[in-house]
Amino acid sequence: MTEAIPLVPVIPVVSNPIYDPFPIKSKSNDTEYNINNVYNNEKDKEKDNINKVESSTKKKKTSPSLHASLRTVEQVLTEQNTDLEKGLSVQEADFRIKLHGPNILEPEDEETMIGKFMEQFKDPLIMLLMGSATISLLMGQFSDALSILLAIVIVLTVAFVQEYRSEKSLEALNQLVPNYCHVIRQGQLSSMLGNNLVPGDIVRFSIGDRIPADVRITQAVDLEIDESSLTGETKPCVKNTEVIISEASEVNLAERKNIGFMGTLVRNGYGVGIVIGTGKNTEFGTIFSMVNDVESKKTPLQEKMGELGKQISAFSIGIIIVIMIIGVIQGKNWLEMFNVGVSLAVAAIPEGLPICVTVTLALGVLRMAKRDAIVKKLPAVESLGSVNVICVDKTGTLTMNKMTVTKVYTAAQDELIDIEGKKNEDLPQSIHHNAIKILIRIGNLCNNAHISNGEHLGQPTEVALLEFGNLLNIRDERPLYPRISENAFNFEKKFMTVTCKGEMDKEIIFAKGAKEPIMQRCSSYYVSEDNIQPLTKEYREKISNISQEIASQGLRVLFMAMGTDMNNLAFVGFVAMYDPPRIGVGNAINTVMDSGVKIVMITGDSEGTAISIAQKLNIMNSVGNGYYMSGAELDELSENELRRVVPTISIFYRTTPKHKMAIVKALQANDLVVAMTGDGVNDAPALRLADIGISMGKSGTDVSKEAADMILVNDDFSTICNAIEEGKGIFYNIQNFLCFQLSTCIAALTLVTLSTLLNLPNPLNAMQILYINIICDGPVAQSLGVEAVDEDVMKQPPRNKNKSIIDKKFIYKVLLSSAIVLGSTLHIFHHTIEEHSNEITSYTTTMTFTGFVFCDIFNSLACRSSTKSIFKIGLFSNKAFIWAAGLSLLGTFIVVYVPFFQQIFQTEPLALHDILHLTLLSSFVLIFDEIRKFIVNKRNQKQIKAYEMV
């Protein structure tokens, strides 16, 4: 049980010298709650509404914010037993913090570091290696055991460090609770830690503040809150105090206009609210619980490597038992056969395989980091090659999460000018018309936003107007036109006006807002200072049609006018703005879709905006006709119905965190590998649930970054293309070195098995086998893991996650390679025995050992690509391979020619003609593989030509 945090001393609030956050009265936009305004008939309607909602939701727990949104302020005050003017007493607050706990989000008890480390031992290959090391220790073969244990330590350490660093997804949510907030207690306004808030507290907040807990708003003066990290809405939500009347069983988060959510940011105005939920009882707390409940999924590679480990274990143990039984039946000493079993175990187990997989993934992580993609979990790299659906969050991922002016229209020019994506030097000449300057002046003067040191303060639409002026190098004119009065924008009026002092102290009214309220007050239109034309009915209809067409494209249209009489303004023009797609994201999406990956856009934004962005980025054509669905429609579907319909949907709009998780689950239920991108807190549960969670590095919240498996440093969607390419390439590289290592192990195992069955001494001793498996094969196999990604890899469709690493083609190639290696080694063994009167000498084992190593080197050349000739990809294109193969050969010559190692490995020097003879024989494995690739490629080319003819 977490101890209650003691209350801090009351700290007086220092008033803001620029703007008083809590004036006593607002002239025009104060929607402060007044009990006298609540009529009995309204109360009856509200009660009916509450009963309807509660009856439909009584089976599921109602969140405090939903509950409070359906009630009047009076009802909430009564339920919370608090006073709007005085707040709670210190004693009552102290009692409630003991009852409800502090206003923080605490993760459940996590597994200890020791537990995380011990978890790594459950890997089948690790267990198999441990068994092999134990047998070696029992047999007194300490060098073998030491080598195997060293391999285990390397693998476990790398895996443990990566996993431990990734388990931080819940801690960052606490950073959303502001350190200090303004609270009324015992009738005094004070500043205190947000951790000490309790339900029933009365809090005040103004522009720049973060909401400290879920609150039922009781006063809202021009209050706009940025909830994009929670709901995905680009535009700040305009808040009010009115009770919500709804017959729906669930009121969407974005529709709870009378609720302030913990962690959201006040963009404009100020307000007062009653705390209704703290800690885990907030909407952020719900997300916290979702993230906590989602278990980390194993990647396809982890699952397949686990299966492979079990298969190798079962196969090896079965063969070893059979051989030992046969030996005992033949009359051999059981201890001798046990020693043979250890040799077989060493031969059968690819000791370097776990190391190769881990290091290959780690090197892939480093390469991707250079391409601006940070991968937190090693296996996630390979999983990218299996992704066949990417669920993309619109706001901040596909778009800039910043309103931008894209089209401009002035009555003087009667021309719609498109400036989307253009820099100053690329703008059309018409944008420098004097009427445009007047339009910018209106947007500048009728504006309360500021841009200071690159930081945007104010409404996104007003910031966009200031940036539009900056684009044309027009300075801020507010100091030149002193403001006399302001009629602030609100949700009901939908327009804003300011009265400024112009030349000769003449008062001028500047207005901006929606089409209807502005055009109703216009009787003329501006052409020039000395040319004001009457606004005819025909011209009104023309302007209306143009603006409606633009609005249908998902753009927000802002009309502007000016004059000296509020009811006889002159229409100047309008600007259209929207949250534009990120640069290059369209090309990246096309590339991903061409590779067979489906794109699904999920957003909390409106239908029109979502469809507009989807059409611009060609997402609507990613499947079928590009169907779309709202969050409300999704709620009406059962899990099975959603699973059936989700493959046909390209766009989900008006969604919540729960919707995103439901969509990901439904896609996964269709046996699809799902990647999820996002940048907000609302994306965190889905990021964790998805097979691959991808967060934005610049615009992403700490919560989304910690929940994700991969972070895009530059917020560029095209980086995902690079990541998918790398993921596919890594899988094929893993498959190539797996083919190399398994063919080596099978050849060594068969060699020892045949010698045992034929009652012959082992051609290779345990030290030689271990040298081949770890010292020789390890570096060479690792170099295959860093082979350059094939340029044709993006043309390949996503790999089926259920498809085993070991398919028929793979088995065929492994068996063919191991058969040639075995045949060449047996030929060398048999030939050297005959040369020495059928006696096995150190020369015989040295020739066999060296021949096996040479076969391995040529086999590794053949395994650099499963389809392309070594001469096409280039003998020297992989420098790491050249170094690894060269060092392996050098090590072999040291073992053969250095006296100290001759005693350990039981070898003797070879003559030059022996080396040449071994080189010729061992090259057959490469020659045969080149012939195989030539035949397969010719067959594939014929099939492609036949398909094209059809």
Side-chain angles (χ1 to χ4, degrees), residues 63 95 129 132 150 192 213 239 383 389 399 528 605 623 652 669 690 722 735 752 768 776 819 845 883 886:
S63 69
F95 170 77
L129 288 175
S132 179
L150 181 62
M192 60 177 287
K239 296 295 184 178
S383 298
V389 178
T399 63
S528 64
D605 237 325
V623 290
F652 291 91
N722 300 334
Q735 198 173 45
V752 177
Q768 291 172 347
C776 181
T845 56
W883 277 101

Side-chain angles (χ1 to χ4, degrees), residues 192-235:
M192 60 177 287
L193 282 172
N195 293 355
N196 293 332
L197 284 180
V198 295
D201 267 327
I202 307 299
V203 295
R204 290 187 170 188
F205 33 84
S206 60
I207 186 169
D209 290 339
R210 284 198 179 273
I211 306 297
D214 280 7
V215 300
R216 171 61 164 91
I217 297 171
T218 63
Q219 181 182 2
V221 181
D222 299 334
L223 181 62
E224 296 184 26
I225 300 179
D226 183 354
E227 299 175 343
S228 60
S229 65
L230 181 65
T231 65
E233 284 272 14
T234 305
K235 189 172 65 174

Side-chain angles (χ1 to χ4, degrees), residues 497-518:
T497 65
V498 294
T499 303
C500 298
K501 187 178 293 185
E503 298 177 0
M504 306 295 291
D505 290 339
K506 183 180 180 181
E507 292 187 2
I508 306 175
I509 299 172
F510 298 95
K512 69 175 174 63
K515 180 185 69 175
E516 290 79 8
I518 294 296

Side-chain angles (χ1 to χ4, degrees), residues 543-595:
I543 295 172
S544 179
N545 293 334
I546 295 173
S547 63
Q548 284 178 3
E549 183 179 351
I550 296 173
S552 67
Q553 299 171 14
L555 276 69
R556 185 178 183 185
V557 182
L558 205 59
F559 278 67
M560 298 186 191
M562 65 178 188
T564 56
D565 184 350
M566 188 62 197
N567 295 316
N568 287 287
L569 297 176
F571 169 68
V572 177
F574 62 76
V575 297
M577 59 181 73
Y578 79 129
D579 183 13
R582 291 184 178 275
I583 298 173
V585 73
N587 293 333
I589 285 176
N590 288 334
T591 301
V592 171
M593 287 165 53
D594 289 343
S595 69

